[in-house]
Amino acid sequence: MPDGAQKPPRKRLLADEPSPASIFLDVPNMPWEETKFPGIKCKTLCTDPSGLATLLLELAPGAVVPLHEHTAIEQTYVLRGHFLDEEGECLEGQFVWRPAGNTHVAWAGPEGATILSIFLRPNIFADGRKFFTEEG
């Protein structure tokens, strides 16, 4: 709180119960996690039982996200580097979104890439691998 005082939880507007707490993450100090995709590391910023996921992904130069289909809208903002697919490319500061049903292969350029991606539901991969946040 700006004045340092603890205040009781705010009540929700649409229900007679306390508002759920916000979740704050110290992203720079979170460790990068290896994924099942060679050359791709991840920081999971948010997940939900519905399948929603917000991921910070670090792709090594030339790293490939293999053939997959988006099951709902996916949004990606390029923080660093060069992120490409068969339809186009995004450089640092650029944004791409893909509709449900979009099927493609994506990869990092020769300098690699750091991207922030938001998925409403997990992708389906052609080779049977699970989505970044799915087990097994």
Side-chain angles (χ1 to χ4, degrees):
M1 306 294 307
D3 62 8
Q6 286 289 80
K7 296 193 173 151
R10 184 180 307 273
K11 282 194 142 195
R12 290 187 53 198
L13 298 177
L14 301 176
D16 187 22
E17 61 188 35
S19 171
S22 299
I23 308 298
F24 293 85
L25 302 176
D26 183 7
V27 178
N29 290 311
M30 289 173 62
W32 287 101
E33 302 169 14
E34 295 294 332
T35 71
K36 43 194 119 10
F37 303 97
I40 302 177
K41 296 179 183 178
C42 177
K43 292 185 182 189
T44 302
L45 305 181
C46 177
T47 58
D48 183 91
S50 70
L52 175 131
T54 302
L55 307 175
L56 188 61
L57 297 161
E58 180 75 26
L59 290 83
V64 175
V65 181
L67 181 63
H68 61 282
E69 181 170 320
H70 293 275
T71 59
I73 290 173
E74 172 246 335
Q75 303 173 70
T76 295
Y77 181 75
V78 178
L79 296 162
R80 180 195 63 79
H82 193 182
F83 187 60
L84 309 93
D85 72 5
E86 303 96 337
E87 297 180 59
E89 58 187 320
C90 273
L91 300 173
E92 184 175 319
Q94 296 181 334
F95 178 84
V96 59
W97 72 272
R98 297 179 174 91
N102 180 274
T103 304
H104 69 127
V105 174
W107 62 92
E111 70 279 13
T114 304
I115 61 175
L116 177 67
S117 292
I118 301 167
F119 303 88
L120 299 182
R121 287 195 305 269
N123 297 336
I124 303 297
F125 288 89
D127 64 8
R129 276 185 267 193
K130 299 289 186 188
F131 185 69
F132 294 98
T133 57
E134 290 180 311
E135 298 294 321

